[in-house]
């Protein structure tokens, strides 16, 4: 996600201040190319990041555009703005409820306003220059909202055999499960995250420089537990979805929680995991899937 609010800026990747001269920028780029090149024992991921950073600020024109906050947008509009109502060109095939990313976007706007200052007009709260200056907590809220919305777009394509609930309250007012998915392969609790860097699994939890003391697998297990108790249901698996470049492997089991497998996986593998199910996982069908859906419909509260 090169335009993630959590991603390091090109200047940070190249190890120079934003005020660096063009010549200093060029020297830093050439030095890092030599240090990170895989043929000389460098880190392939860092090598790619260095090249990407240079593409964004290596030329005077590209640098002016980046410094002015012009990031690449897709056909649906600015990359960080909420999806447009007409952005979905086909009707979702999975039955869905709730508003993905809504809670985090509201919280982002609230905290951004407090950080900017009371009474200060913010014409565009998604202006990239403003977002890049914001504290990590605020940028993380926006990054996770984007991750939720991306996951929701994938989930919408699952098919009529699946039901999806978004932004499900889990206990206290500031805790939620991003997505619940019920289908023939089971019941899944899904959290969408973007920490802005790579992570790895260690002793049942995620570790890495991108984490700031967070315990995402533990938090997902606790929130899923609250939902399971309220609805009197059992989860097949708890899935933490991350950007593809945050994980070395497509998916990795972290352990279990109350009989549900805990898995962290790349976003591009999510649909396969939901359609194929977990190895050894119990399928749900017939009357049981109707009963579970009824319990969830009665118990689910949205954040």
């Amino acid at each position: 996600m090169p335009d993630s609010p959590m991603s390091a800026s090109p200047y940070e990747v190249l190890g120079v201040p934003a005020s660096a001269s063009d010549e200093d920028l060029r020297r830093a780029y050439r030095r890092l190319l030599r240090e990170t090149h895989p043929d000389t024992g460098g880190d392939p991921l860092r090598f790619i990041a260095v090249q990407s950073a240079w593409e964004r600020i290596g030329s005077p024109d590209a640098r002016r555009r980046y410094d002015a906050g012009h990031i690449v947008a897709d056909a649906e509009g600015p990359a960080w703005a909420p999806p447009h109502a007409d952005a979905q060109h086909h009707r979702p095939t999975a039955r869905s409820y709730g508003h993905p990313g809504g809670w985090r976007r509201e919280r982002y706007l609230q905290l951004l306003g407090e950080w900017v200052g009371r009474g200060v007009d913010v014409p565009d709260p998604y202006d990239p220059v403003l977002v890049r200056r914001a504290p990590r907590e605020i940028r993380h809220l926006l990054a996770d909202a984007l991750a939720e919305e991306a996951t929701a777009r994938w989930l919408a394509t699952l098919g009529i055999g699946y039901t999806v609930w978004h932004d499900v309250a889990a206990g206290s007012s500031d805790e939620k499960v991003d997505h619940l998915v019920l289908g023939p392969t089971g019941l899944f609790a899904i959290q969408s995250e973007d920490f802005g860097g790579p992570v790895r699994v260690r002793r049942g939890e995620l570790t890495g420089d991108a984490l700031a003391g967070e315990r995402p697998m533990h938090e997902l297990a606790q929130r899923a537990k609250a939902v399971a108790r309220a609805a009197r249901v059992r989860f097949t698996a708890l899935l933490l979805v991350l950007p593809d470049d945050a994980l070395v492997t497509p998916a990795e089991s972290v352990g279990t929680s109350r009989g549900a497998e805990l898995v962290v996986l790349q976003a591009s593998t999510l649909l396969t995991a939901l359609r194929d199910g977990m190895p050894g996982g119990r399928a749900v069908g017939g009357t049981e899937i109707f009963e579970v859906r009824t319990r969830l419909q009665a118990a689910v509260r949205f954040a």
Side-chain angles (χ1 to χ4, degrees):
M1 264 180 95
D3 288 324
S4 166
M6 293 297 289
S7 297
S9 74
Y11 295 106
E12 292 170 328
V13 172
L14 296 176
V16 297
S19 59
S21 67
D22 290 345
E23 184 58 31
D24 287 342
L25 200 64
R26 191 174 297 107
R27 284 199 203 98
Y29 169 63
R30 289 173 177 169
R31 175 178 55 81
L32 286 172
L33 274 186
R34 292 191 299 270
E35 292 178 1
T36 63
H37 200 290
D39 291 345
T40 58
D43 183 343
L45 291 179
R46 282 198 65 206
F47 180 70
I48 293 171
V50 167
Q51 290 180 306
S52 175
W54 180 253
E55 289 174 2
R56 301 181 77 186
I57 61 173
S59 71
D61 183 59
R63 188 175 182 181
R64 279 194 299 271
R65 287 180 55 80
Y66 179 84
D67 290 344
H70 297 293
I71 59 175
V72 177
D74 59 25
E76 296 178 2
W80 294 347
H84 192 273
D86 298 327
Q88 187 109 11
H89 300 298
H90 358 226
R91 297 183 60 189
T93 53
R95 184 184 308 174
S96 62
Y97 304 90
H99 183 44
W103 183 90
R104 283 197 171 108
R105 283 201 182 265
E106 288 185 5
R107 183 70 175 149
Y108 164 76
L109 294 173
Q110 176 189 346
L111 292 185
L112 185 74
E114 294 175 0
W115 171 67
V116 170
R118 184 173 298 177
V120 176
D121 183 39
V122 183
D124 180 8
Y126 299 105
D127 172 39
V129 173
L130 179 65
V131 172
R132 284 197 292 264
R133 289 172 42 218
R136 182 187 186 277
E137 177 190 5
I138 295 176
R139 290 185 287 113
H140 195 187
L141 281 167
L142 179 55
D144 281 352
L146 291 165
E148 282 186 59
E149 292 159 2
T151 299
R153 289 192 290 272
W154 285 103
L155 296 178
T157 68
L158 278 170
I160 59 175
Y162 291 81
T163 306
V164 184
W165 294 264
H166 303 292
D167 257 1
V168 176
S172 64
S173 59
D174 61 346
E175 292 185 335
K176 71 184 185 72
V177 175
D178 294 343
H179 323 274
L180 302 182
V181 176
L182 175 64
T185 56
L187 175 62
F188 303 85
I190 302 173
Q191 205 75 359
S192 304
E193 282 278 5
D194 177 9
F195 298 108
V199 298
R200 60 187 181 277
V201 175
R202 183 182 181 188
R203 296 178 182 176
E205 189 51 271
L206 299 187
T207 65
D209 294 339
L211 296 167
E214 292 106 329
R215 299 175 62 197
M217 304 308 299
H218 172 76
E219 291 172 5
L220 173 57
Q222 292 300 109
R223 294 173 185 184
K225 178 181 175 181
V227 173
R229 281 182 171 175
R232 295 177 294 114
V233 296
R234 293 177 58 189
F235 285 104
T236 303
L238 315 180
L239 309 179
L240 184 72
V241 181
L242 299 178
D244 283 8
D245 58 4
L247 287 174
V248 175
T249 56
E252 189 168 351
S253 177
V254 178
T256 60
S257 173
R258 298 174 66 86
E261 188 172 3
L262 273 163
V263 180
V264 56
L265 70 167
Q266 296 175 345
S268 62
T269 68
L270 175 61
L271 291 186
T272 299
L274 293 174
R275 286 174 173 150
D276 294 349
M278 297 292 103
R282 187 174 64 89
V284 180
T287 304
E288 184 181 5
I289 198 169
F290 175 79
E291 291 175 352
V292 172
R293 183 188 297 119
T294 301
R295 288 178 186 173
L296 286 168
Q297 286 289 61
V300 161
R301 299 292 180 268
F302 297 104

